[in-house]
Amino acid sequence: FWLTLYVLFCRAIALPLSTKLGVRDKQRPKAQPNPMLETFYSTWCKNPKEGDLLSLAKQCDLPVRKVEKWFRHRRNMDRPSLSKKFSEACWRFTFYITSFFTGLAVLYDKPWLWDHRECWTGYPQQPLQPSLFWYYMLELSFYWSLVFTLPFDVKRKDFKEQIVHHAATIFLISFSYCANYIRIGTLVMVIHDASDCFLEPTKIFNYMKWKKTCDSLFMIFSAVFLISRLVIYPYTVLYNTYYYSMEIFQPFFGYYFVNVLLIILQLLHVFWSCLIIHMVCKFILQGTMEKDMRSDTEESDKDEERDKIREKEKNGITCFSNVTSNGYIQRNGSEPLDNRAHRANGHAKER
């Protein structure tokens, strides 16, 4: 269901919206067809080392620089377009904002939202209300859909951490449902959705090039993330499951398993918090927002500029050698030496 809804949402809403908001895909130079390089790219390595580049250059009878340039263009062709990133961010923002307010609507009148000891009152004989059941199914099915779309989603530098996060979340939601840890599970989901509601619109405005709005939203997201994941989560969830539950029942397998999963989530929170704090410090010191360190950046611009500079330098050296051999030296727009000599002789004759 989620996968079908995701495809329909992107095609019918997100992509037309990106066009109206001025999100333009960057024109990337395409790699020229080359069966030998393509085979190496698809079967062996997408970023070959210097030795491989030299070997491929000899086999293809091409300069090493052109082979290196081919691989750079080929890698950029596989990178997701800006409209794809925009569509993915819109989809996740739509879910997180819906899920967060759904969680608040379900939990606002529940006693364990305000008194965390109530998570264990009457455990394990706690009836499952229909609203809690559907809230659970909403979250669990969405995270399963994220697992299925991982091969097609935008891959970032924390891809492995994302896989661990999705796996821990799915195991945690599933096991908490089976062990009737419903109350503590709902708190975990609401806390996580709170900061994600600000992360996705930050990405959206970044793709739209609304820099000031993006920076402001990122600062709000940073504050919400750090408070919710490093303060509220440890006190409301970790302390609750580790200490308060001991007042009701003796530890069993579920107690240790749930706490291990919750601690794995907390370690991921610390990892992402370090990245966020680093970006915030850069923004405070430099006055500009650093690009998302998790994102995979384009290679073409800087590298191609370097190639052009090298070519100009080589051409300049060649021209200089040719010029000097012909007695023709010209600097800063001055005239050739031969012309100067003729003029000097002309003035001498006039005198």
Side-chain angles (χ1 to χ4, degrees):
F1 170 74
W2 282 112
L3 297 178
T4 305
L5 193 60
Y6 172 54
V7 173
L8 293 175
F9 178 88
C10 289
R11 291 183 178 180
I13 299 176
L15 287 176
L17 184 63
S18 67
T19 304
K20 290 184 178 180
L21 294 176
V23 178
R24 297 285 183 268
D25 292 331
K26 186 175 181 180
Q27 295 296 325
R28 297 167 177 166
K30 294 183 178 181
Q32 296 297 323
N34 190 310
M36 186 175 294
L37 297 181
E38 185 65 36
T39 302
F40 187 91
Y41 180 86
S42 56
T43 57
W44 292 100
C45 180
K46 295 183 178 181
N47 196 356
K49 296 181 180 179
E50 187 174 354
D52 296 325
L53 290 172
L54 291 171
S55 176
L56 289 169
K58 290 181 180 178
Q59 295 177 33
C60 298
D61 194 22
L62 291 172
V64 177
R65 186 169 51 80
K66 286 192 175 182
V67 175
E68 185 181 5
K69 187 176 182 180
W70 186 94
F71 276 95
R72 186 165 62 246
H73 288 173
R74 186 65 182 83
R75 286 192 296 269
N76 283 338
M77 287 171 62
D78 284 347
R79 286 190 171 85
S81 62
L82 203 60
S83 59
K84 178 177 171 59
K85 293 180 180 180
F86 180 89
S87 300
E88 185 180 310
C90 285
W91 166 248
R92 296 195 181 194
F93 170 68
T94 303
F95 170 79
Y96 288 132
I97 198 73
T98 303
S99 177
F100 178 66
F101 284 105
T102 299
L104 291 181
V106 169
L107 295 176
Y108 83 97
D109 60 344
K110 303 298 186 292
W112 63 86
L113 181 64
W114 314 105
D115 183 3
H116 306 317
R117 292 178 186 269
E118 289 292 327
C119 288
W120 312 108
T121 301
Y123 183 84
Q125 303 297 326
Q126 294 175 339
L128 177 60
Q129 300 176 15
S131 59
L132 296 177
F133 169 80
W134 288 111
Y135 180 45
Y136 247 71
M137 291 302 104
L138 175 72
E139 292 273 355
L140 181 60
S141 59
F142 178 74
Y143 278 102
W144 268 115
S145 72
L146 292 182
V147 171
F148 289 122
T149 57
L150 272 175
F152 315 103
D153 288 342
V154 177
K155 288 182 175 61
R156 304 182 186 277
K157 293 179 181 178
D158 62 344
F159 180 72
K160 294 179 181 178
E161 289 80 5
Q162 285 285 353
I163 294 176
V164 174
H165 175 268
H166 294 343
T169 303
I170 289 171
F171 275 117
L172 185 60
I173 295 175
S174 302
F175 186 81
S176 64
Y177 180 83
C178 296
N180 207 22
Y181 280 151
I182 301 294
R183 296 183 178 183
I184 198 70
T186 55
L187 294 180
V188 173
M189 292 187 293
V190 167
I191 290 171
H192 279 72
D193 289 340
S195 59
D196 290 332
C197 290
F198 292 98
L199 174 61
E200 300 306 327
T202 302
K203 295 179 184 178
I204 291 171
F205 285 111
N206 180 43
Y207 303 144
M208 293 168 55
K209 309 298 183 185
W210 291 23
K211 190 176 185 308
K212 291 185 178 179
T213 307
C214 174
D215 292 348
S216 302
L217 275 175
F218 180 80
M219 297 304 290
I220 296 172
F221 159 74
S222 302
V224 174
F225 185 94
L226 296 175
I227 293 172
S228 63
R229 306 291 180 94
L230 299 184
V231 179
I232 297 176
Y233 178 83
Y235 171 72
T236 304
V237 177
L238 292 181
Y239 188 83
N240 193 355
T241 56
Y242 192 79
Y243 288 105
Y244 288 167
S245 61
M246 298 281 286
E247 300 175 358
I248 307 298
F249 57 85
Q250 292 299 315
F252 65 107
F253 171 77
Y255 168 85
Y256 296 108
F257 187 73
V258 167
N259 276 286
V260 167
L261 292 177
L262 293 174
I263 290 172
I264 290 174
L265 284 181
Q266 183 59 23
L267 293 176
L268 291 172
H269 296 165
V270 173
F271 169 76
W272 284 315
S273 296
C274 292
L275 297 180
I276 292 170
I277 291 171
H278 179 74
M279 294 177 70
V280 170
C281 290
K282 286 278 187 181
F283 177 73
I284 293 174
L285 294 175
Q286 299 180 0
T288 181
M289 185 64 65
E290 189 182 62
K291 288 185 178 180
D292 188 355
M293 290 181 290
R294 303 177 307 141
S295 298
D296 199 8
T297 55
E298 293 280 343
E299 296 179 81
S300 58
D301 294 339
K302 292 183 179 180
D303 292 332
E304 286 193 8
E305 283 178 7
R306 280 197 214 105
D307 290 342
K308 289 178 181 178
I309 291 173
R310 287 175 188 170
E311 288 179 4
K312 287 181 180 179
E313 287 177 351
K314 288 181 180 179
N315 293 336
I317 292 170
T318 305
C319 291
F320 184 78
S321 61
N322 293 335
V323 165
T324 51
S325 63
N326 295 328
Y328 188 97
I329 301 176
Q330 185 174 356
R331 291 183 181 178
N332 300 326
S334 57
E335 292 183 275
L337 290 178
D338 292 344
N339 291 351
R340 291 183 187 176
H342 288 306
R343 284 195 178 186
N345 293 335
H347 288 302
K349 288 179 180 179
E350 286 177 4
R351 289 179 184 176

